[in-house]
Amino acid sequence: MSIAELTLTEPAAAEFKAVVDVFSAATNPAAGYAATAASLQLGDGGAGGFAGLFGGAAPAADGGAAPSGGDGGAAAPSPE
Amino acid sequence: MANPAPKTDSGSSFEADAARIGNVVDHLVDALGGEPACTLRRAVILADIDQYPGSTQAAIIQRLAADKSALNRDIEWLYDYGCIMRQVGRDGREIKLFTCGYAKKNLDLALAYFNNSHKSLKNFLIHYIHMFGQHRPTLRDAKIIATIGEKGSANRQMVFEELYNGPLTTDNRAINNLIVTGLLEKKKQDE
């Protein structure tokens, strides 16, 4: 008998790996920053995290949750 | 008040992080009225209101570059479910928004994974949302992906066990949608 196993497709697995990297960097910034700095860049630019996500045109003015590693993004969470 | 330490999982770093992502999604489901059908986008909005207590809707629109009518629906939903409260400003026109009750408590549990950084939580959620492309992911979708991502492969029963006691048909449909959108695939395996 055979049963169907579900797996992530190859592109989805790569994307999920990037999500895990972001998570890892955000939750353990010291260990994760160097390894994941590249993965923090989204294709649509620094503040592009919000672009298109909420139906509006402009990206977040303050870079809010911008995924760019350059502004600290997830890699270096600022104290609140 | 300090948040309790997040749950930790054994195993490799990748698997452990995938499991912890599943835990974060669980807390977000609890924060959003126990509704796994909620979108990740709504979780971002809740986190944003929590980050900026007393925000007006206009301020959220500006920060998130959000469409006004879509955001309005999300805000109404959050209010109806008791996730946020409204307070009339001094001028009598402005409505200020605050997270409250179980939503705040469970959001704090999710934030504990991110060293209480709203920015990091929102950043992570946005990356997760982008993974789904045109599909608007729900918390259920996020949990399915995290579960299969953690295990490498899983049959439907294993996935259902990780989900939220909703109707099986709903969970099944969610998996089928993720197959159609090209995120999941079925592989036959001999037993």
Side-chain angles (χ1 to χ4, degrees), chain A:
Chain A
M1 184 184 156
S2 68
I3 51 168
E5 289 274 324
L6 297 164
T7 60
L8 298 180
T9 59
E10 209 168 297
E15 298 240 23
F16 184 67
K17 166 88 171 52
V19 169
V20 171
D21 284 347
V22 170
F23 179 82
S24 180
T27 55
N28 186 11
Y33 184 82
T36 61
S39 76
L40 293 173
Q41 304 287 343
L42 279 182
D44 54 355
F50 285 135
L53 197 59
F54 292 89
D62 64 349
S68 160
D71 68 352
S78 57
E80 290 168 325

Short mmCIF file of all heavy atoms in Angstrom, two decimals, chain A:
data_model
loop_
_atom_site.label_atom_id
_atom_site.label_comp_id
_atom_site.label_asym_id
_atom_site.label_seq_id
_atom_site.Cartn_x
_atom_site.Cartn_y
_atom_site.Cartn_z
N MET A 1 0.84 -1.19 0.00
CA MET A 1 0.00 0.00 0.00
C MET A 1 0.89 1.25 0.00
O MET A 1 1.95 1.27 0.60
CB MET A 1 -0.86 -0.03 1.27
CG MET A 1 -1.86 1.09 1.37
SD MET A 1 -2.72 0.99 2.97
CE MET A 1 -3.20 2.68 3.16
N SER A 2 0.43 2.27 -0.69
CA SER A 2 1.22 3.50 -0.66
C SER A 2 0.36 4.65 -0.18
O SER A 2 -0.84 4.71 -0.44
CB SER A 2 1.78 3.80 -2.06
OG SER A 2 0.72 4.13 -2.90
N ILE A 3 1.00 5.53 0.56
CA ILE A 3 0.27 6.70 1.04
C ILE A 3 0.95 7.94 0.50
O ILE A 3 2.15 7.94 0.23
CB ILE A 3 0.24 6.76 2.59
CG1 ILE A 3 1.65 6.60 3.15
CG2 ILE A 3 -0.70 5.72 3.17
CD1 ILE A 3 1.76 6.92 4.61
N ALA A 4 0.16 8.98 0.33
CA ALA A 4 0.72 10.21 -0.24
C ALA A 4 1.35 11.04 0.87
O ALA A 4 0.71 11.34 1.87
CB ALA A 4 -0.38 11.00 -0.93
N GLU A 5 2.60 11.33 0.69
CA GLU A 5 3.30 12.21 1.63
C GLU A 5 3.32 13.62 1.04
O GLU A 5 3.49 13.79 -0.16
CB GLU A 5 4.73 11.72 1.83
CG GLU A 5 4.86 10.43 2.61
CD GLU A 5 4.89 10.66 4.11
OE1 GLU A 5 5.47 11.66 4.54
OE2 GLU A 5 4.33 9.82 4.84
N LEU A 6 3.16 14.57 1.89
CA LEU A 6 3.20 15.96 1.44
C LEU A 6 4.59 16.53 1.71
O LEU A 6 5.15 16.33 2.79
CB LEU A 6 2.16 16.79 2.20
CG LEU A 6 0.70 16.40 1.99
CD1 LEU A 6 -0.18 17.00 3.07
CD2 LEU A 6 0.22 16.83 0.62
N THR A 7 5.12 17.20 0.73
CA THR A 7 6.40 17.89 0.91
C THR A 7 6.29 19.29 0.33
O THR A 7 5.38 19.57 -0.46
CB THR A 7 7.55 17.16 0.20
OG1 THR A 7 7.25 17.13 -1.20
CG2 THR A 7 7.76 15.75 0.70
N LEU A 8 7.21 20.14 0.72
CA LEU A 8 7.29 21.45 0.08
C LEU A 8 7.90 21.25 -1.31
O LEU A 8 8.79 20.42 -1.48
CB LEU A 8 8.18 22.41 0.88
CG LEU A 8 7.73 22.75 2.31
CD1 LEU A 8 8.73 23.71 2.95
CD2 LEU A 8 6.36 23.36 2.33
N THR A 9 7.40 21.98 -2.28
CA THR A 9 8.03 21.93 -3.60
C THR A 9 9.43 22.56 -3.48
O THR A 9 9.71 23.25 -2.49
CB THR A 9 7.21 22.72 -4.65
OG1 THR A 9 7.12 24.08 -4.20
CG2 THR A 9 5.81 22.14 -4.81
N GLU A 10 10.22 22.32 -4.48
CA GLU A 10 11.61 22.80 -4.39
C GLU A 10 11.68 24.33 -4.19
O GLU A 10 12.38 24.80 -3.27
CB GLU A 10 12.37 22.40 -5.65
CG GLU A 10 13.86 22.22 -5.40
CD GLU A 10 14.54 21.56 -6.57
OE1 GLU A 10 14.21 20.40 -6.89
OE2 GLU A 10 15.39 22.24 -7.16
N PRO A 11 10.94 25.10 -5.01
CA PRO A 11 11.01 26.56 -4.77
C PRO A 11 10.45 26.96 -3.42
O PRO A 11 10.99 27.86 -2.75
CB PRO A 11 10.15 27.16 -5.90
CG PRO A 11 9.66 26.04 -6.74
CD PRO A 11 10.18 24.75 -6.21
N ALA A 12 9.38 26.27 -2.99
CA ALA A 12 8.79 26.61 -1.69
C ALA A 12 9.75 26.27 -0.55
O ALA A 12 9.85 27.00 0.43
CB ALA A 12 7.47 25.87 -1.50
N ALA A 13 10.48 25.16 -0.71
CA ALA A 13 11.44 24.77 0.32
C ALA A 13 12.54 25.83 0.44
O ALA A 13 12.97 26.18 1.54
CB ALA A 13 12.04 23.41 -0.01
N ALA A 14 12.97 26.34 -0.72
CA ALA A 14 14.01 27.39 -0.70
C ALA A 14 13.48 28.66 -0.04
O ALA A 14 14.18 29.30 0.75
CB ALA A 14 14.47 27.69 -2.12
N GLU A 15 12.22 29.00 -0.37
CA GLU A 15 11.61 30.20 0.24
C GLU A 15 11.43 30.01 1.74
O GLU A 15 11.65 30.94 2.52
CB GLU A 15 10.25 30.47 -0.42
CG GLU A 15 10.35 30.75 -1.90
CD GLU A 15 9.82 32.11 -2.24
OE1 GLU A 15 9.80 32.95 -1.34
OE2 GLU A 15 9.44 32.31 -3.40
N PHE A 16 11.02 28.81 2.12
CA PHE A 16 10.82 28.56 3.55
C PHE A 16 12.14 28.61 4.29
O PHE A 16 12.22 29.11 5.41
CB PHE A 16 10.12 27.21 3.76
CG PHE A 16 9.79 26.94 5.21
CD1 PHE A 16 8.85 27.72 5.87
CD2 PHE A 16 10.43 25.94 5.92
CE1 PHE A 16 8.56 27.51 7.22
CE2 PHE A 16 10.14 25.72 7.26
CZ PHE A 16 9.20 26.50 7.91
N LYS A 17 13.18 28.13 3.64
CA LYS A 17 14.52 28.19 4.24
C LYS A 17 14.88 29.67 4.52
O LYS A 17 15.43 29.99 5.57
CB LYS A 17 15.53 27.54 3.29
CG LYS A 17 16.98 27.80 3.57
CD LYS A 17 17.54 26.76 4.53
CE LYS A 17 19.05 26.83 4.69
NZ LYS A 17 19.60 28.13 5.02
N ALA A 18 14.55 30.53 3.55
CA ALA A 18 14.83 31.97 3.73
C ALA A 18 14.01 32.54 4.89
O ALA A 18 14.50 33.36 5.66
CB ALA A 18 14.54 32.73 2.44
N VAL A 19 12.76 32.09 4.99
CA VAL A 19 11.91 32.55 6.10
C VAL A 19 12.50 32.10 7.44
O VAL A 19 12.55 32.87 8.40
CB VAL A 19 10.46 32.01 5.93
CG1 VAL A 19 9.63 32.26 7.19
CG2 VAL A 19 9.78 32.67 4.73
N VAL A 20 12.96 30.85 7.47
CA VAL A 20 13.57 30.33 8.70
C VAL A 20 14.83 31.13 9.04
O VAL A 20 15.09 31.44 10.21
CB VAL A 20 13.88 28.82 8.58
CG1 VAL A 20 14.71 28.33 9.76
CG2 VAL A 20 12.60 28.02 8.49
N ASP A 21 15.58 31.49 8.01
CA ASP A 21 16.79 32.30 8.23
C ASP A 21 16.44 33.66 8.85
O ASP A 21 17.12 34.13 9.76
CB ASP A 21 17.54 32.52 6.92
CG ASP A 21 18.32 31.28 6.48
OD1 ASP A 21 18.47 30.35 7.30
OD2 ASP A 21 18.75 31.23 5.32
N VAL A 22 15.37 34.26 8.33
CA VAL A 22 14.93 35.55 8.88
C VAL A 22 14.50 35.36 10.33
O VAL A 22 14.86 36.16 11.22
CB VAL A 22 13.76 36.13 8.04
CG1 VAL A 22 13.13 37.34 8.75
CG2 VAL A 22 14.25 36.54 6.67
N PHE A 23 13.76 34.30 10.57
CA PHE A 23 13.29 34.01 11.93
C PHE A 23 14.49 33.80 12.86
O PHE A 23 14.56 34.35 13.96
CB PHE A 23 12.40 32.77 11.91
CG PHE A 23 11.89 32.36 13.27
CD1 PHE A 23 10.79 32.98 13.82
CD2 PHE A 23 12.51 31.34 13.99
CE1 PHE A 23 10.32 32.61 15.08
CE2 PHE A 23 12.06 30.97 15.23
CZ PHE A 23 10.95 31.60 15.79
N SER A 24 15.43 33.01 12.37
CA SER A 24 16.61 32.70 13.17
C SER A 24 17.39 33.97 13.50
O SER A 24 17.82 34.18 14.64
CB SER A 24 17.48 31.71 12.39
OG SER A 24 18.61 31.39 13.12
N ALA A 25 17.54 34.83 12.49
CA ALA A 25 18.28 36.08 12.70
C ALA A 25 17.54 36.98 13.68
O ALA A 25 18.16 37.65 14.51
CB ALA A 25 18.47 36.79 11.37
N ALA A 26 16.21 36.99 13.60
CA ALA A 26 15.43 37.87 14.46
C ALA A 26 15.40 37.37 15.90
O ALA A 26 15.32 38.16 16.83
CB ALA A 26 14.00 37.98 13.92
N THR A 27 15.42 36.06 16.05
CA THR A 27 15.28 35.51 17.39
C THR A 27 16.63 35.26 18.04
O THR A 27 16.72 35.07 19.24
CB THR A 27 14.47 34.20 17.38
OG1 THR A 27 15.08 33.29 16.47
CG2 THR A 27 13.05 34.46 16.94
N ASN A 28 17.66 35.24 17.22
CA ASN A 28 19.01 35.04 17.75
C ASN A 28 19.96 35.90 16.94
O ASN A 28 20.76 35.40 16.16
CB ASN A 28 19.40 33.56 17.65
CG ASN A 28 20.73 33.28 18.31
OD1 ASN A 28 21.27 34.13 19.01
ND2 ASN A 28 21.28 32.10 18.07
N PRO A 29 19.85 37.22 17.09
CA PRO A 29 20.56 38.13 16.21
C PRO A 29 22.07 37.92 16.16
O PRO A 29 22.67 37.99 15.09
CB PRO A 29 20.24 39.51 16.75
CG PRO A 29 19.34 39.34 17.90
CD PRO A 29 19.12 37.89 18.15
N ALA A 30 22.68 37.63 17.27
CA ALA A 30 24.14 37.51 17.29
C ALA A 30 24.61 36.38 16.39
O ALA A 30 25.56 36.53 15.62
CB ALA A 30 24.61 37.28 18.72
N ALA A 31 23.92 35.27 16.45
CA ALA A 31 24.34 34.11 15.67
C ALA A 31 23.88 34.19 14.22
O ALA A 31 24.53 33.70 13.32
CB ALA A 31 23.80 32.84 16.30
N GLY A 32 22.75 34.83 14.03
CA GLY A 32 22.13 34.74 12.71
C GLY A 32 22.51 35.82 11.73
O GLY A 32 22.34 35.65 10.54
N TYR A 33 23.07 36.93 12.20
CA TYR A 33 23.19 38.07 11.31
C TYR A 33 24.07 37.79 10.10
O TYR A 33 23.64 37.97 8.96
CB TYR A 33 23.73 39.28 12.07
CG TYR A 33 23.79 40.50 11.21
CD1 TYR A 33 22.65 41.26 11.00
CD2 TYR A 33 24.95 40.85 10.55
CE1 TYR A 33 22.69 42.37 10.18
CE2 TYR A 33 24.99 41.95 9.72
CZ TYR A 33 23.85 42.71 9.54
OH TYR A 33 23.88 43.80 8.72
N ALA A 34 25.27 37.31 10.36
CA ALA A 34 26.21 37.14 9.24
C ALA A 34 25.68 36.15 8.21
O ALA A 34 25.76 36.38 7.01
CB ALA A 34 27.55 36.67 9.78
N ALA A 35 25.11 35.07 8.71
CA ALA A 35 24.67 34.01 7.81
C ALA A 35 23.48 34.42 6.98
O ALA A 35 23.27 33.91 5.88
CB ALA A 35 24.34 32.76 8.61
N THR A 36 22.67 35.33 7.48
CA THR A 36 21.41 35.58 6.81
C THR A 36 21.28 36.98 6.24
O THR A 36 20.24 37.33 5.72
CB THR A 36 20.25 35.35 7.78
OG1 THR A 36 20.39 36.25 8.86
CG2 THR A 36 20.22 33.94 8.30
N ALA A 37 22.34 37.75 6.33
CA ALA A 37 22.23 39.13 5.85
C ALA A 37 21.73 39.17 4.41
O ALA A 37 20.86 39.98 4.06
CB ALA A 37 23.58 39.82 5.95
N ALA A 38 22.21 38.26 3.58
CA ALA A 38 21.79 38.26 2.18
C ALA A 38 20.32 37.91 2.05
O ALA A 38 19.61 38.48 1.22
CB ALA A 38 22.64 37.27 1.39
N SER A 39 19.86 36.99 2.87
CA SER A 39 18.48 36.55 2.73
C SER A 39 17.48 37.58 3.23
O SER A 39 16.29 37.47 3.00
CB SER A 39 18.26 35.23 3.47
OG SER A 39 18.18 35.48 4.85
N LEU A 40 17.99 38.62 3.90
CA LEU A 40 17.07 39.64 4.40
C LEU A 40 16.65 40.61 3.31
O LEU A 40 15.77 41.42 3.51
CB LEU A 40 17.74 40.41 5.55
CG LEU A 40 17.99 39.59 6.81
CD1 LEU A 40 18.79 40.38 7.81
CD2 LEU A 40 16.69 39.14 7.43
N GLN A 41 17.29 40.52 2.17
CA GLN A 41 16.93 41.42 1.08
C GLN A 41 15.78 40.80 0.29
O GLN A 41 15.90 39.71 -0.21
CB GLN A 41 18.13 41.61 0.13
CG GLN A 41 19.37 42.11 0.82
CD GLN A 41 19.28 43.57 1.22
OE1 GLN A 41 18.43 44.29 0.73
NE2 GLN A 41 20.14 44.00 2.11
N LEU A 42 14.70 41.55 0.15
CA LEU A 42 13.63 41.10 -0.72
C LEU A 42 13.88 41.65 -2.11
O LEU A 42 14.50 42.68 -2.28
CB LEU A 42 12.29 41.61 -0.21
CG LEU A 42 11.67 40.81 0.94
CD1 LEU A 42 10.33 41.41 1.29
CD2 LEU A 42 11.51 39.36 0.55
N GLY A 43 13.33 40.98 -3.07
CA GLY A 43 13.55 41.37 -4.45
C GLY A 43 13.05 42.77 -4.77
O GLY A 43 13.54 43.41 -5.67
N ASP A 44 12.04 43.22 -4.04
CA ASP A 44 11.44 44.49 -4.40
C ASP A 44 12.02 45.67 -3.63
O ASP A 44 11.40 46.70 -3.53
CB ASP A 44 9.93 44.44 -4.24
CG ASP A 44 9.51 43.99 -2.86
OD1 ASP A 44 10.41 43.65 -2.07
OD2 ASP A 44 8.32 43.97 -2.57
N GLY A 45 13.18 45.50 -3.09
CA GLY A 45 13.86 46.65 -2.53
C GLY A 45 13.78 46.76 -1.03
O GLY A 45 13.06 46.04 -0.37
N GLY A 46 14.51 47.72 -0.51
CA GLY A 46 14.65 47.85 0.93
C GLY A 46 13.36 47.95 1.70
O GLY A 46 13.08 47.12 2.54
N ALA A 47 12.55 48.94 1.39
CA ALA A 47 11.31 49.11 2.14
C ALA A 47 10.17 48.36 1.48
O ALA A 47 9.02 48.54 1.80
CB ALA A 47 10.98 50.59 2.23
N GLY A 48 10.53 47.51 0.54
CA GLY A 48 9.50 46.82 -0.26
C GLY A 48 8.70 45.80 0.49
O GLY A 48 7.79 45.20 -0.06
N GLY A 49 9.06 45.55 1.75
CA GLY A 49 8.32 44.55 2.50
C GLY A 49 6.83 44.82 2.51
O GLY A 49 6.04 43.91 2.40
N PHE A 50 6.47 46.08 2.59
CA PHE A 50 5.06 46.41 2.66
C PHE A 50 4.44 46.63 1.29
O PHE A 50 3.24 46.59 1.16
CB PHE A 50 4.86 47.69 3.48
CG PHE A 50 5.03 47.49 4.95
CD1 PHE A 50 5.77 48.37 5.70
CD2 PHE A 50 4.45 46.41 5.58
CE1 PHE A 50 5.93 48.19 7.07
CE2 PHE A 50 4.60 46.22 6.95
CZ PHE A 50 5.34 47.10 7.69
N ALA A 51 5.28 46.90 0.32
CA ALA A 51 4.75 47.29 -0.99
C ALA A 51 3.86 46.18 -1.55
O ALA A 51 4.26 45.05 -1.68
CB ALA A 51 5.89 47.59 -1.96
N GLY A 52 2.66 46.54 -1.88
CA GLY A 52 1.74 45.59 -2.49
C GLY A 52 1.07 44.68 -1.48
O GLY A 52 0.09 44.01 -1.80
N LEU A 53 1.56 44.66 -0.28
CA LEU A 53 1.05 43.71 0.71
C LEU A 53 -0.31 44.13 1.23
O LEU A 53 -1.17 43.30 1.50
CB LEU A 53 2.04 43.67 1.87
CG LEU A 53 1.96 42.50 2.82
CD1 LEU A 53 2.17 41.20 2.09
CD2 LEU A 53 3.01 42.65 3.91
N PHE A 54 -0.50 45.43 1.37
CA PHE A 54 -1.74 45.92 1.95
C PHE A 54 -2.57 46.69 0.92
O PHE A 54 -3.46 47.43 1.29
CB PHE A 54 -1.44 46.81 3.16
CG PHE A 54 -0.88 46.04 4.31
CD1 PHE A 54 0.49 45.85 4.43
CD2 PHE A 54 -1.70 45.46 5.24
CE1 PHE A 54 1.02 45.13 5.49
CE2 PHE A 54 -1.18 44.73 6.30
CZ PHE A 54 0.17 44.56 6.42
N GLY A 55 -2.23 46.54 -0.31
CA GLY A 55 -3.04 47.15 -1.35
C GLY A 55 -2.70 48.60 -1.64
O GLY A 55 -3.20 49.18 -2.57
N GLY A 56 -1.85 49.21 -0.84
CA GLY A 56 -1.48 50.60 -1.05
C GLY A 56 -0.31 50.72 -2.00
O GLY A 56 0.28 49.72 -2.40
N ALA A 57 0.05 51.94 -2.33
CA ALA A 57 1.10 52.14 -3.32
C ALA A 57 2.46 52.37 -2.68
O ALA A 57 3.45 51.80 -3.10
CB ALA A 57 0.75 53.31 -4.22
N ALA A 58 2.48 53.21 -1.67
CA ALA A 58 3.78 53.63 -1.14
C ALA A 58 4.29 52.68 -0.08
O ALA A 58 3.51 52.11 0.68
CB ALA A 58 3.64 55.02 -0.53
N PRO A 59 5.58 52.50 -0.03
CA PRO A 59 6.14 51.70 1.05
C PRO A 59 6.10 52.44 2.37
O PRO A 59 5.87 53.65 2.39
CB PRO A 59 7.59 51.46 0.59
CG PRO A 59 7.89 52.62 -0.30
CD PRO A 59 6.59 53.02 -0.93
N ALA A 60 6.34 51.72 3.45
CA ALA A 60 6.30 52.34 4.77
C ALA A 60 7.29 53.49 4.83
O ALA A 60 8.45 53.35 4.44
CB ALA A 60 6.64 51.31 5.83
N ALA A 61 6.82 54.63 5.30
CA ALA A 61 7.64 55.83 5.27
C ALA A 61 8.87 55.71 6.17
O ALA A 61 9.94 56.20 5.84
CB ALA A 61 6.81 57.02 5.71
N ASP A 62 8.71 55.06 7.30
CA ASP A 62 9.83 55.00 8.25
C ASP A 62 10.65 53.73 8.09
O ASP A 62 11.50 53.42 8.90
CB ASP A 62 9.31 55.09 9.69
CG ASP A 62 8.45 53.90 10.05
OD1 ASP A 62 8.10 53.14 9.12
OD2 ASP A 62 8.14 53.74 11.24
N GLY A 63 10.35 53.01 7.03
CA GLY A 63 11.08 51.76 6.85
C GLY A 63 10.60 50.72 7.82
O GLY A 63 11.09 49.61 7.83
N GLY A 64 9.62 51.07 8.60
CA GLY A 64 8.99 50.23 9.63
C GLY A 64 9.56 48.85 9.74
O GLY A 64 10.59 48.62 10.37
N ALA A 65 8.93 47.89 9.11
CA ALA A 65 9.39 46.52 9.22
C ALA A 65 10.19 46.14 7.98
O ALA A 65 10.19 45.00 7.58
CB ALA A 65 8.22 45.59 9.38
N ALA A 66 10.82 47.11 7.40
CA ALA A 66 11.55 46.85 6.16
C ALA A 66 12.52 45.70 6.34
O ALA A 66 13.23 45.65 7.35
CB ALA A 66 12.30 48.09 5.74
N PRO A 67 12.52 44.77 5.40
CA PRO A 67 13.34 43.60 5.57
C PRO A 67 14.81 43.80 5.24
O PRO A 67 15.58 42.88 5.32
CB PRO A 67 12.71 42.61 4.60
CG PRO A 67 12.09 43.46 3.56
CD PRO A 67 11.69 44.73 4.22
N SER A 68 15.18 44.99 4.86
CA SER A 68 16.57 45.22 4.53
C SER A 68 17.47 45.03 5.75
O SER A 68 17.20 45.57 6.81
CB SER A 68 16.73 46.65 4.01
OG SER A 68 18.07 47.05 4.11
N GLY A 69 18.52 44.28 5.54
CA GLY A 69 19.46 44.09 6.64
C GLY A 69 20.15 45.39 6.99
O GLY A 69 20.63 45.57 8.09
N GLY A 70 20.19 46.31 6.02
CA GLY A 70 20.90 47.55 6.19
C GLY A 70 20.39 48.41 7.34
O GLY A 70 21.15 49.07 8.01
N ASP A 71 19.07 48.37 7.57
CA ASP A 71 18.54 49.22 8.64
C ASP A 71 18.38 48.45 9.94
O ASP A 71 17.73 48.90 10.85
CB ASP A 71 17.21 49.84 8.22
CG ASP A 71 16.13 48.79 8.12
OD1 ASP A 71 16.45 47.61 8.22
OD2 ASP A 71 14.98 49.16 7.95
N GLY A 72 18.97 47.34 9.97
CA GLY A 72 18.84 46.54 11.19
C GLY A 72 17.79 45.48 11.03
O GLY A 72 17.92 44.41 11.56
N GLY A 73 16.75 45.77 10.23
CA GLY A 73 15.67 44.84 9.92
C GLY A 73 15.43 43.84 11.03
O GLY A 73 15.32 44.18 12.20
N ALA A 74 15.37 42.60 10.67
CA ALA A 74 15.15 41.58 11.67
C ALA A 74 16.47 41.21 12.33
O ALA A 74 16.52 40.64 13.39
CB ALA A 74 14.57 40.34 11.02
N ALA A 75 17.55 41.56 11.62
CA ALA A 75 18.84 41.08 12.09
C ALA A 75 19.26 41.73 13.40
O ALA A 75 19.92 41.12 14.20
CB ALA A 75 19.89 41.35 11.02
N ALA A 76 18.85 42.95 13.57
CA ALA A 76 19.26 43.64 14.78
C ALA A 76 18.07 44.35 15.41
O ALA A 76 17.92 45.55 15.26
CB ALA A 76 20.36 44.63 14.45
N PRO A 77 17.20 43.59 16.03
CA PRO A 77 16.00 44.20 16.58
C PRO A 77 16.34 45.29 17.59
O PRO A 77 17.21 45.10 18.43
CB PRO A 77 15.27 43.05 17.26
CG PRO A 77 16.18 41.89 17.21
CD PRO A 77 17.33 42.19 16.33
N SER A 78 15.69 46.42 17.42
CA SER A 78 15.98 47.53 18.32
C SER A 78 15.22 47.33 19.63
O SER A 78 14.12 46.83 19.63
CB SER A 78 15.56 48.83 17.66
OG SER A 78 14.20 48.76 17.32
N PRO A 79 15.79 47.74 20.71
CA PRO A 79 15.09 47.62 21.99
C PRO A 79 13.86 48.51 22.00
O PRO A 79 13.90 49.60 21.43
CB PRO A 79 16.13 48.09 23.01
CG PRO A 79 17.15 48.82 22.24
CD PRO A 79 17.11 48.33 20.84
N GLU A 80 12.77 48.06 22.60
CA GLU A 80 11.56 48.86 22.63
C GLU A 80 11.17 49.16 24.05
O GLU A 80 11.41 48.40 24.94
CB GLU A 80 10.42 48.12 21.94
CG GLU A 80 10.66 48.05 20.47
CD GLU A 80 9.71 47.08 19.78
OE1 GLU A 80 9.37 46.08 20.39
OE2 GLU A 80 9.35 47.34 18.65
#
